[in-house]
Amino acid sequence: MNRSMTTTAFTLDGYKIVKSLGIVRGITVRSRSVFGSIGGSLQTILGGNISIFTNLCEKARKEAYEMLLEHAETLGANAIIGVRYDGNEVIQGVTEVLCYGTAVVVEPENA
C-alpha cells in the first residue's frame, strides 16, 4: 500500500471513497531492556530528550503502522482513513502500541 494513501482525516483529497472495508489495526507490545532502563534513567537525571525511550517508542509506532498497512492490504484496501495511535501500559515496563483506522477503497474524483 502506498503510504501517501493513509491519513488521520476522514477524507482523502482528490479521491472518493467507493467502499468501506472496516476497522484495521496493527498492534505491538514492547518492553524496555535492563540496559535501556538504566540508560533512560541516567538520561532523566540530565533532563531533556530521553533518546533511548524516544527511539523505543518510535520503533514500536513504526512496527504497529506497518502491521496496519499489511492488515488493510489483506482486505483489498488501497487507502486508510482516520488513522490513530493508542498506547497502554500492560504491566510495569511493558507497553502496548496500537495503530488503527478504517480501510477503504478509493478512486480519483475525476474517474
Side-chain angles (χ1 to χ4, degrees):
M1 175 173 295
N2 184 341
R3 293 167 194 275
S4 69
M5 299 298 281
T6 64
T7 181
T8 57
F10 294 102
T11 60
L12 199 56
D13 290 343
Y15 294 88
K16 61 181 177 183
I17 297 170
V18 296
K19 188 174 184 181
S20 178
L21 301 172
I23 296 171
V24 288
R25 83 283 175 262
I27 185 171
T28 187
V29 178
R30 292 283 181 157
S31 68
R32 299 183 305 261
S33 69
V34 172
F35 299 112
S37 294
I38 293 169
S41 296
L42 292 174
Q43 282 186 325
T44 60
I45 294 169
L46 301 173
N49 182 27
I50 305 169
S51 61
I52 290 172
F53 294 149
T54 300
N55 292 335
L56 178 66
C57 290
E58 185 56 37
K59 187 174 183 178
R61 286 185 187 112
K62 181 180 179 187
E63 190 172 295
Y65 180 72
E66 294 296 329
M67 289 182 205
L68 169 81
L69 296 177
E70 289 174 18
H71 188 195
E73 282 182 320
T74 63
L75 296 178
N78 65 353
I80 307 171
I81 58 172
V83 175
R84 301 287 188 269
Y85 285 96
D86 194 11
N88 296 296
E89 189 172 54
V90 178
I91 60 172
Q92 187 174 358
V94 178
T95 303
E96 160 204 43
V97 175
L98 171 68
C99 184
Y100 62 96
T102 302
V104 294
V105 176
V106 297
E107 293 177 351
E109 286 180 338
N110 299 330

